[in-house]
Amino acid sequence: MEPVQLQWIDYTILGAYIAFVVGIGWLLARYLKTSTDFLTSARSIPTWVTGLAFISANLGALELVGMAASGAKYGISTCFFYWAGAIPAMVFLAVFMMPFYYGSRARSVPEYLKMRFDERVRAVNSIAFAVMTIFASGISMNALAKLLANLLPWQSHLQVGKFHLGSYDIYLWISSLIVLIYVLKGGLSSAIYTEVLQFFMIVLGFAPVVYLGLKDIGGWHAMNHSLQTVAANPANYYLKPEGTNYGTNAWTSAWQPLLAGPAHNPMGVDIFAMGFGLCFVLGFGYWCTNFLVVQRAMAAKNMAAARNTPLVAAVPKMLFPFLVIVPGMIAAALCTLPEKNYRIPPPIILPADYAKAVDAVKSSVPAGSAQAVKKICDALGKKVDAVQISSLVAAYANGKLSDPQIRQGIYNSIAENDYDEVILSLVKRYCPPGLLGLALTALLASFMAGMAGNVTAFNAVFTYDLYQAYFAKDKTDDHYFWIGKVITVVGIILSIFAAYFASVFYNAMDVIQLVFGFVNAPLFATFLLGMFWKRTTSTGAFIGLTGGIAGSLLFHAITTTPANLDSKGNVISIAKGGYLHVSKVFPSEMAQNFWLAAFAFIACFLLTLMISLATDRTQSDAELKGLVYSLTPKIIINNQPFYQRPAVVGIGLLIACVLLNYFFW
C-alpha cells in the first residue's frame, strides 16, 4: 500500500491534536501534588467523564484496528465481542462488582485481592497484570507505528551499530515519546480526559468512512450479496486455505453459522467456545477484573457515579460494531468487485525485499516454473500466489513490464493478508483532504490513548502493589510520586519491546485475546469464587490462580493453527503456540484463544475449589464484610428514581442486546 499523501489541512489537524493532548498533560500537572493524584486521580471525576473514559480506554488498537481486521477476517460474528461478551459483563460489573471495588477503598484490583485473600494472591495478580498491560500497550504501539509508516511519505534507513532502523522503528519510538510526555505530566487524569476527547474524535472520524464505503459498494444489501461470494470461496481473497468454503451467510449472519458448527463459520468455533470461552470467560474476565477499565470507574467521585460508569459506557458500546466491524466487512466485499481494484493489504514488505523480488521476476525461468515462484517467494519472505506469479513472469517476458508494474503485480500476488491495515486502506480510499486528516487523527488518538491507558494502569499497580507492598513499605508520599513517574518511563520502554513481539501477528484482536486468556481468564475464576463463596481460602486462591496461568501457558505450548505450520508440519512462530508439541490444531487463532481461556478458567476454578475445601479459612465473617457478597449489607437506593437504578438500567441494556442479536441472527 502506497503512503498516504497528506495536504496541509491534514497535517494541521494532526498537529493540533498532538499539541492539545500534550497541553492537557501540562495543564493538569499543576494539580498533581501527591501520588494519589498522579496514579488514581484522587476519586474526583464526574460520571459522564468516567463513563466515556471507561469505553474509550478500550478504543485503542483493540477496537479500531482489531475489530475492523476481524470484521474482514470473520464477518459479523465479531459482534459477539459486544452483544454477548461486553454488555452483559458491564452490567454485571455495575450491579454486583463495583460496590466491592469502590466500597473497599482499594486503589487497584490486586489490592482488593490482598484484602479478600492475602499478599500471595496480590503478588501473582500484580505480576501477571503488569505483564498483560505491557503487552496490551505494545499492541497499540505496533499498530500505531505501522500506521505512521504507511501514512507519512518519509522513509528512514538509519544504521545504529549493527541494527538497521526503518520507518517502523523510528515512528514507534517517536509516538512512544509523545505518550510518555503527556502521561508523565498529567498522570491518570490526563489519560482520562484525553480518552474523552478521543471518543468524539473516533465517532467524527469514522462515521464518514462507513457511510462512504457503504455508498460506494451499493448499500447494506449489496455488501451482504458480495460477502456471499466471499463465503463461497474465501481462498480467492487469501482469507482461508485453498478448498475452504462456507454457506452463503457465513460473513453476514451471527448465530446461524455458529450453531452449524466450527466447519461452517470463518472463526472456526462451536457454541461452547463462543458462549463459554468468549462471552463468559473472556468477556466477564476483561470487563470485570481488568484494572485498565475498572480504574476509570474507581476514579469516580462517589459510589453512585462508580456504578453508573459502566452503564453509561454500555450505550455507545452497543452501537460501536456499526462503526468498527462494518468497515472490515466492506473491505472483504470490495475484494469481490474487480472494478473497485481493491485487495486487503498484504504484510508490509521492505523496499529492499521488493527490489529483490523485481529482480527475481526479470531473471526467472519460463512462466509456470516452480523455481520461478520459489525465487520470488524467498525474496519476499511471504507466501505468494503461484498462478499470479507465473502470469506476471509471462507478462514480463512478452511485454517487458516496467518496474512499478512488476512491483504492483508482486503486491497483488502476496497470498497473505495484513488485516490490521484494513482500516487505514479504507481511510485512504474514501477520505478527501481534511476528512482524511480527521480520520487519521482519530486513529492516532485511539492508539495513543490505548497506550496511555495501559501505561497508567501499569504504573499504579507496580507502584502500589509491588514496590510499596514488597520493597519500600514506609516511604514518604513524595517518594511514591517519584517512583510512579520512573515506572511510567520503564513501562513505555518495555511496551516498545512488546510491540516488536506483536508485529508477528496480522490481527491485533488475535494477539490481545491471547494475552487476556493468560491473565484475565483464570483471574475471573478467582474473583467469582472469592466474591460469592466465603469458604474460598487464601491458599486455594493462590494455588488456583497460579495453576490457571500455568495451565494457559501449557495449553498454548501444545496447540497452534494451520497458518502457523509450514508444509512439513513444523511450527513457524513460537509466539503462535505449538512450541513444545502440536497436540491440537485449531481452525483459527481466535478459536485457539477461546479454548485456551476456557481451559485456564476451568483449571483455576477446580483447583481453587478443591484446595479451599482441603484447607482452613484464615478470615472470619466479620473480616470479609464488604468483600464477599453474602456477608455485605445490600445497597439501599432511596434518592434515585426507579428507572435510574443500576439494576433497572442494566435490564434495559440486556433487552436491547437480545434484540440486536435477534436482528442479526
Side-chain angles (χ1 to χ4, degrees):
M1 186 166 58
E2 294 299 320
V4 178
Q5 299 300 315
L6 300 182
Q7 304 300 318
W8 67 268
I9 188 171
D10 303 312
Y11 282 113
T12 300
I13 294 171
L14 283 166
Y17 173 78
I18 293 173
F20 189 83
V21 296
V22 172
I24 288 177
W26 238 271
L27 180 65
L28 293 175
R30 70 181 67 179
Y31 301 107
L32 304 184
K33 306 299 182 184
T34 67
S35 64
T36 302
D37 294 335
F38 182 73
L39 297 171
T40 68
S41 295
R43 293 192 168 188
S44 60
I45 299 179
T47 305
W48 74 271
V49 175
T50 56
L52 292 181
F54 186 95
I55 189 66
S56 295
N58 181 244
L59 285 178
L62 170 66
E63 195 87 1
L64 294 187
V65 172
M67 289 299 181
S70 293
K73 189 175 182 181
Y74 304 123
I76 195 64
S77 60
T78 309
C79 72
F80 282 113
F81 285 95
Y82 294 82
W83 301 334
I87 304 303
M90 293 164 77
V91 171
F92 185 82
L93 172 65
V95 175
F96 294 104
M97 298 188 75
M98 276 317 301
F100 296 107
Y101 284 137
Y102 200 89
S104 67
R105 305 297 297 177
R107 295 170 297 184
S108 67
V109 170
E111 189 166 77
Y112 169 82
L113 289 174
K114 179 231 175 181
M115 296 176 179
R116 173 59 183 90
F117 298 115
D118 59 19
E119 289 286 1
R120 297 174 300 172
V121 182
R122 177 196 205 178
V124 171
N125 179 236
S126 297
I127 294 170
F129 179 79
V131 172
M132 182 186 77
T133 54
I134 290 300
F135 276 105
S137 178
I139 292 166
S140 288
M141 287 183 175
N142 170 62
L144 176 57
K146 287 166 64 176
L147 165 71
L148 293 175
N150 282 291
L151 164 63
L152 301 178
W154 174 62
Q155 298 293 317
S156 167
H157 303 288
L158 182 64
Q159 192 77 25
V160 181
K162 296 182 179 180
F163 299 99
H164 172 80
L165 300 181
S167 301
Y168 170 88
D169 307 281
I170 300 300
Y171 289 129
L172 177 62
W173 287 82
I174 290 175
S175 58
S176 301
L177 179 62
I178 294 172
V179 173
L180 174 63
I181 291 172
Y182 79 78
V183 172
L184 203 59
K185 296 299 293 183
L188 177 61
S189 296
S190 175
I192 286 178
Y193 281 103
T194 301
E195 285 161 359
V196 174
L197 171 64
Q198 168 209 349
F199 173 84
F200 292 106
M201 288 295 299
I202 288 171
V203 173
L204 291 174
F206 283 92
V209 175
V210 176
Y211 171 76
L212 293 171
L214 285 174
K215 183 179 179 181
D216 180 41
I217 211 166
W220 184 269
H221 293 294
M223 179 187 73
N224 286 347
H225 180 74
S226 295
L227 289 174
Q228 292 177 10
T229 304
V230 172
N233 195 352
N236 279 352
Y237 317 102
Y238 312 125
L239 293 165
K240 290 293 176 181
E242 193 68 40
T244 306
N245 56 77
Y246 301 104
T248 56
N249 62 357
W251 260 259
T252 57
S253 170
W255 284 94
Q256 293 180 48
L258 173 67
L259 295 175
H264 299 275
N265 64 82
M267 207 174 277
V269 296
D270 58 18
I271 189 65
F272 176 82
M274 182 67 78
F276 185 75
L278 170 62
C279 301
F280 181 66
V281 175
L282 284 172
F284 279 70
Y286 178 83
W287 293 103
C288 297
T289 68
N290 188 343
F291 183 54
L292 168 64
V293 290
V294 173
Q295 185 184 34
R296 273 68 190 153
M298 292 172 71
K301 61 183 180 180
N302 54 44
M303 175 67 81
R307 298 184 77 191
N308 286 331
T309 291
L311 299 177
V312 169
V315 177
K317 183 71 176 178
M318 203 177 300
L319 302 176
F320 257 82
F322 301 104
L323 201 63
V324 297
I325 296 175
V326 171
M329 298 171 65
I330 291 171
L334 282 171
C335 294
T336 69
L337 305 173
E339 69 274 14
K340 299 299 182 182
N341 192 29
Y342 176 87
R343 68 155 291 179
I344 295 173
I348 295 174
I349 306 294
L350 293 176
D353 292 334
Y354 264 124
K356 292 177 185 177
V358 170
D359 290 340
V361 169
K362 293 179 178 179
S363 62
S364 288
V365 292
S369 159
Q371 184 181 0
V373 174
K374 184 178 185 305
K375 286 172 64 178
I376 297 168
C377 184
D378 290 343
L380 295 172
K382 302 294 180 186
K383 298 177 183 177
V384 295
D385 187 309
V387 174
Q388 290 206 36
I389 288 294
S390 297
S391 298
L392 181 64
V393 173
Y396 173 76
N398 293 329
K400 299 297 182 182
L401 302 175
S402 65
D403 283 4
Q405 290 173 319
I406 296 173
R407 176 174 169 145
Q408 183 62 43
I410 293 170
Y411 174 89
N412 290 331
S413 72
I414 299 174
E416 298 181 31
N417 292 327
D418 189 348
Y419 297 97
D420 286 347
E421 296 296 312
V422 163
I423 192 65
L424 178 60
S425 70
L426 295 181
V427 167
K428 175 188 174 184
R429 182 181 182 90
Y430 292 120
C431 294
L435 190 57
L436 175 62
L438 186 62
L440 293 174
T441 302
L443 275 171
L444 186 69
S446 71
F447 300 147
M448 292 174 64
M451 293 155 56
N454 281 286
V455 169
T456 54
F458 171 79
N459 64 20
V461 167
F462 191 96
T463 302
Y464 287 141
D465 296 296
L466 291 174
Y467 182 78
Q468 184 181 33
Y470 304 111
F471 299 102
K473 293 186 178 180
D474 300 312
K475 299 293 184 180
T476 64
D477 186 76
D478 286 343
H479 179 81
Y480 297 125
F481 194 0
W482 178 79
I483 287 296
K485 292 195 171 187
V486 170
I487 294 304
T488 300
V489 178
V490 173
I492 290 286
I493 294 172
L494 292 176
S495 298
I496 291 172
F497 290 104
Y500 287 108
F501 167 83
S503 65
V504 305
F505 289 83
Y506 297 144
N507 184 342
M509 277 297 294
D510 288 341
V511 62
I512 197 67
Q513 293 304 320
L514 173 63
V515 174
F516 291 159
F518 288 140
V519 180
N520 288 342
L523 178 60
F524 182 52
T526 303
F527 263 93
L528 271 186
L529 288 169
M531 279 190 171
F532 297 100
W533 187 41
K534 67 178 183 179
R535 184 65 180 79
T536 309
T537 66
S538 301
T539 300
F542 172 70
I543 295 176
L545 185 56
T546 305
I549 295 173
S552 64
L553 292 170
L554 176 62
F555 187 94
H556 186 249
I558 61 174
T559 63
T560 190
T561 63
N564 195 38
L565 298 174
D566 62 19
S567 59
K568 297 180 180 179
N570 298 317
V571 170
I572 298 172
S573 171
I574 63 172
K576 298 182 180 181
Y579 42 88
L580 288 184
H581 176 71
V582 180
S583 299
K584 173 68 177 178
V585 179
F586 289 98
S588 70
E589 286 90 349
M590 202 63 79
Q592 181 189 20
N593 294 339
F594 294 168
W595 278 102
L596 181 147
F599 180 84
F601 177 90
I602 293 171
C604 179
F605 191 93
L606 293 179
L607 275 174
T608 305
L609 182 67
M610 292 186 293
I611 300 299
S612 293
L613 291 173
T615 54
D616 295 328
R617 288 176 59 188
T618 57
Q619 295 168 295
S620 66
D621 286 1
E623 291 174 310
L624 294 178
K625 182 179 179 181
L627 300 172
V628 176
Y629 185 78
S630 62
L631 301 175
T632 302
K634 305 302 179 286
I635 296 176
I636 299 175
I637 304 174
N638 293 321
N639 58 346
Q640 273 187 317
F642 175 78
Y643 57 86
Q644 291 183 2
R645 296 179 183 180
V648 176
V649 175
I651 291 172
L653 290 169
L654 293 177
I655 292 173
C657 262
V658 170
L659 292 175
L660 284 168
N661 277 280
Y662 173 77
F663 291 146
F664 289 90
W665 179 268

